[in-house]
Amino acid sequence: MNESGPYDGFWSGFGSDLGEATLVAGALALFRHHSCHVRGCARLGRPVDGTPYLACPKHHPAHQGQKRGVSQTTIHTAHQQRHSSTA
Ligand SMILES: [Zn+2]
């Protein structure tokens, strides 16, 4: 049995500190690229139709009310508006 630890091979596969730094920087850039564009908001955003901006569920203009508190009418109305605007 190898008592030195089963993770030795795992960690050595990550390579140098440079590799890890690149990984962290990449993850950060990815997060910033996908975060809400409202100043001071760090939530992940989704594209706002017709704009180059991203907005989180709280700041998205197409979102009304609480995420889990919308009525079926709200969803139906949004769905029909979407269809009538693209038709
Ligand atoms: Zn936001």
Side-chain angles (χ1 to χ4, degrees):
M1 293 293 277
N2 184 3
E3 297 291 333
S4 68
Y7 297 108
D8 282 357
F10 179 77
W11 286 113
S12 64
F14 269 91
S16 62
D17 287 344
L18 185 75
E20 282 181 39
T22 309
L23 214 84
V24 171
L28 215 101
L30 203 77
F31 175 76
R32 286 179 72 100
H33 199 72
H34 290 274
S35 63
C36 177
H37 281 176
V38 174
R39 189 185 294 272
C41 183
R43 273 177 268 260
L44 285 177
R46 298 178 64 93
V48 180
D49 284 351
T51 78
Y53 305 118
L54 299 175
C56 69
K58 188 184 173 187
H59 292 125
H60 202 289
H63 176 74
Q64 295 165 350
Q66 294 293 311
K67 192 175 185 180
R68 298 187 185 277
V70 291
S71 66
Q72 197 179 358
T73 315
T74 305
I75 295 171
H76 268 259
T77 307
H79 182 69
Q80 275 160 10
Q81 277 174 349
R82 170 103 184 154
H83 269 258
S84 59
S85 64
T86 50

